[in-house]
Amino acid sequence: MLSSIKLSPSSFTSTGFLPNRRSIPTPQFSPLPIIKSLHSAFPTQSFSSQKPLHVASIDNLAISKNTQQRKTECQAYEADRSRPLDIKIELPDEDARLEAAKRIKIGIYFATWWALNVVFNIYNKKVLNAFPFPWLTSTLSLAAGSLLMLISWATRVADAPKTDFEFWKTLFPVAVAHTIGHVAATVSMSKVAVSFTHIIKSGEPAFSVLVSRFLLGDSFPMPVYLSLVPIIGGCALSALTELNFNMTGFMGAMISNLAFVFRNIFSKKGMNGKSVSGMNYYACLSMLSLLILTPFAIAVEGHQLWAVGWQKAVSQIGPNFVWWVVAQSVFYHLYNQVSYMSLDQISPLTFSIGNTMKRISVIVSSIIIFHTPVQPINALGAAIAILGTFLYSQV
């Protein structure tokens, strides 16, 4: 309760106050003003308080030159009442802080994903140039990832997933599609340049729309269909102007696109209602794909061809060839694992945009490192296809 105490000029005159020293009580220190007998001291004031008062402010403390009188005006408020302060203190917004942290985390995921993918493609192409056995190379990639995750679970670095028969049953078609897509892409890169494989693989959204429309009965708005025009046109232009065109390499990239579309469809259905994290989901996917791929790799290529090819590669490259194989195997698992981890944090739209930017980084870096000859019309086709992929992700 704010109150005003005004001291009249007649109460504290210089002639009546200073000489009468005996009427002044002994000073006592107190953080609060001592107010006694307010009615008797100030008969004209109507004021009473049973609680201690804090002095808020003292104004107009002055001595008149003419009358030599002191006039004081002060304000007080009760000690147990809060008095609002005219100070704005901005506390950090918790939601804004969490959103900023999430954006930083996603940015780190994307940067790591792209960097690991570039490194994998470089080492994968080096291995395939010296050791042209894509089925074994694909098998080693899945084996390395499976081994890494088994060690992580055994050492408690990562928590092992809790799975049941139903989980592996729904994962099986995903693993089949993943195996086909992985092998087909590796076969493609063993026959053509890395940049050409990824230009053709940028047409994956076109396969996604066509499969969803004609096999699943889904319908899309007109802008989606229009975005397929630059995708298909750009891929066709790049294929027609590719200097080192190879039909096996071209068909491998096309089959990989179709297989990964089915993998995404089956994966979406299999992940519904499951509590397995993205990292463990891909680990289980790698293990099941390894079991599926191994007998086919042995049947198609065989251990006798592998032994001869391995000796030839080691004699030509030296011990570094072994490190190339290890690097391409480990980095394949790492970049896929990070991509599944990022998919846990972002929407499919953001993931598609990130995948498009990843292809740009792979195409550019591979052209620079392997000195791939590119004609202007071929580069134009690649740019049109990638632009179409970006437009597709937007609409």
Side-chain angles (χ1 to χ4, degrees), residues 145-162 276-284 287 333-334 337 341:
S146 301
L147 181 61
L148 286 175
M149 290 309 301
L150 288 175
I151 294 175
S152 299
W153 292 340
T155 57
R156 301 296 179 88
V157 174
D159 295 331
K162 296 180 180 179
V276 179
S277 64
M279 180 179 66
N280 285 334
Y281 185 86
Y282 181 73
C284 296
M287 294 175 187
H333 173 77
L334 292 179
Q337 186 180 78
M341 291 169 63

Side-chain angles (χ1 to χ4, degrees), residues 302-331:
H303 64 279
Q304 293 180 350
L305 292 178
W306 292 343
V308 175
W310 186 273
Q311 291 177 358
K312 182 179 178 180
V314 172
S315 63
Q316 292 179 351
I317 307 300
N320 285 336
F321 173 74
V322 179
W323 292 110
W324 290 359
V325 174
V326 173
Q328 74 90 23
S329 301
V330 172
F331 280 105

Side-chain angles (χ1 to χ4, degrees), residues 84 97 99 204 305 309:
R97 187 182 66 82
E99 183 65 22
E204 184 177 325
L305 292 178

Side-chain angles (χ1 to χ4, degrees), residues 35-49:
I35 301 177
K36 294 182 180 181
S37 304
L38 290 174
H39 287 289
S40 59
F42 311 107
T44 61
Q45 300 291 330
S46 176
F47 175 82
S48 65
S49 176

Side-chain angles (χ1 to χ4, degrees), residues 127-357:
V127 170
L128 291 173
N129 287 339
F131 184 73
F133 295 95
W135 287 79
L136 176 60
T137 303
S138 302
T139 305
L140 293 176
S141 301
L142 297 174
S146 301
L147 181 61
L148 286 175
M149 290 309 301
L150 288 175
I151 294 175
S152 299
W153 292 340
T155 57
R156 301 296 179 88
V157 174
D159 295 331
K162 296 180 180 179
T163 61
D164 52 15
F165 177 76
E166 188 65 24
F167 172 81
W168 293 100
K169 180 180 177 181
T170 56
L171 186 65
F172 182 77
V174 182
V176 172
H178 179 72
T179 303
I180 296 174
H182 176 40
V183 173
T186 308
V187 170
S188 176
M189 281 188 281
S190 68
K191 300 296 183 179
V192 296
V194 175
S195 57
F196 179 71
T197 298
H198 280 273
I199 291 172
I200 302 303
K201 283 178 66 62
S202 65
E204 184 177 325
F207 285 85
S208 179
V209 172
L210 295 177
V211 168
S212 300
R213 176 67 182 88
F214 294 105
L215 295 184
L216 303 179
D218 296 337
S219 59
F220 300 92
M222 184 56 63
V224 173
Y225 295 107
L226 293 177
S227 68
L228 302 183
V229 175
I231 295 176
I232 298 175
C235 290
L237 185 61
S238 294
L240 292 175
T241 57
E242 175 64 26
L243 296 176
N244 299 316
F245 180 82
N246 181 279
M247 182 56 69
T248 302
F250 175 75
M251 292 304 300
M254 297 289 281
I255 293 173
S256 177
N257 281 339
L258 187 61
F260 283 140
V261 167
F262 281 103
R263 182 195 67 175
N264 296 338
I265 293 174
F266 294 140
S267 180
K268 184 184 297 184
K269 294 181 178 180
M271 285 294 290
N272 287 338
K274 299 299 181 181
S275 59
V276 179
S277 64
M279 180 179 66
N280 285 334
Y281 185 86
Y282 181 73
C284 296
L285 180 62
S286 295
M287 294 175 187
L288 191 53
S289 295
L290 177 62
L291 295 178
I292 297 172
L293 177 60
T294 301
F296 287 96
I298 296 174
V300 173
E301 294 176 345
H303 64 279
Q304 293 180 350
L305 292 178
W306 292 343
V308 175
W310 186 273
Q311 291 177 358
K312 182 179 178 180
V314 172
S315 63
Q316 292 179 351
I317 307 300
N320 285 336
F321 173 74
V322 179
W323 292 110
W324 290 359
V325 174
V326 173
Q328 74 90 23
S329 301
V330 172
F331 280 105
Y332 173 79
H333 173 77
L334 292 179
Y335 100 77
N336 276 284
Q337 186 180 78
V338 173
S339 70
Y340 269 80
M341 291 169 63
S342 63
L343 190 57
D344 275 348
Q345 306 291 328
I346 59 179
S347 66
L349 171 61
T350 306
F351 185 83
S352 298
I353 296 174
N355 202 34
T356 303
M357 301 303 295

